[in-house]
């Protein structure tokens, strides 16, 4: 994890802005984005890919957007709807989150969940921050999941354990890789 964090931190602000914009454009070009009623996003921290353009585009198209809230005691994550990015406030792990009283995402199938990763592999397995929130969430998620990372973070194979879940598609600045189930 430290290697991938350092790799990502070495990207200049200008390059990061360009790479993030390219990834967001690719996400918005996905059929799963076009047909989704709800897009599950995350609030970037540190060097994570900024999905603000995806959130804005989804709202412009009349889609619902939702962001995660982490329950640090039970180590589970739920998604809550917001109607504007201004509704996000600093929460668990210093990550901007919706209000706990916001309506919860009900799990409809026409949803796209965008999953952050420090690195991903060709099979759709990802290296996250090690707490397992997304892996536990993906067990019950029935929509399409899209992992995102920079192209230099997409590897042929990453070690994964039996509880790790893969995404349906990996989006990088250079390609969109559909992963077999």
């Amino acid at each position: 994890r430290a290697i991938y964090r350092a790799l990502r931190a070495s990207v200049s602000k200008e390059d990061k802005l360009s790479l993030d914009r390219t990834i967001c454009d690719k996400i918005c070009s996905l059929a799963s984005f076009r047909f989704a009623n709800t897009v599950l996003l995350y609030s970037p921290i540190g060097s994570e890919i900024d999905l603000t353009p995806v959130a804005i585009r989804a709202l412009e198209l009349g889609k619902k957007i939702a962001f995660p809230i982490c329950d640090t005691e039970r180590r589970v994550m739920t998604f809550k709807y917001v109607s504007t990015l201004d509704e996000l406030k600093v929460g668990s792990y210093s990550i901007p989150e919706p209000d706990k009283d916001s309506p919860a995402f009900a799990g409809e199938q026409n949803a796209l969940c965008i999953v952050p990763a420090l690195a991903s592999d060709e099979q759709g397995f990802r290296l996250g921050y090690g707490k397992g929130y997304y892996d536990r969430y993906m067990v019950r998620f029935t929509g399409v999941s899209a992992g995102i990372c920079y192209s230099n973070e997409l590897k042929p194979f990453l070690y994964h354990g039996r509880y790790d879940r893969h995404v349906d598609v990996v989006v990088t600045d250079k390609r969109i890789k559909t992963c077999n189930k």
Side-chain angles (χ1 to χ4, degrees), residues 116-149:
L118 288 168
S120 294
D121 71 13
E122 297 281 338
Q123 294 74 42
F125 288 99
R126 53 182 280 283
L127 180 66
Y129 287 102
K131 296 196 184 323
Y133 282 98
Y134 275 93
D135 291 316
R136 285 188 292 282
Y137 183 79
M138 298 309 289
V139 168
R140 63 187 189 280
F141 180 69
T142 59
V144 175
S145 57
I148 59 172
C149 64

Side-chain angles (χ1 to χ4, degrees), residues 82-123:
V82 298
S83 55
T84 170
L85 296 176
D86 293 334
E87 294 175 33
L88 301 173
K89 305 295 180 223
V90 176
S92 304
Y93 303 109
S94 298
I95 300 170
E97 297 179 339
D99 187 272
K100 290 182 182 1
D101 295 329
S102 296
F105 169 68
E108 65 259 19
Q109 287 186 320
N110 287 341
L112 171 64
C113 182
I114 302 174
V115 182
L118 288 168
S120 294
D121 71 13
E122 297 281 338
Q123 294 74 42

Side-chain angles (χ1 to χ4, degrees), residues 1 19 41 47-48 62-63 87 135 158 162 168 174:
R1 286 184 175 85
L19 292 169
L41 301 155
S47 61
E48 287 182 324
K63 299 176 185 302
E87 294 175 33
D135 291 316
L158 291 174
R162 69 181 193 163
D168 300 308
K174 291 190 178 171

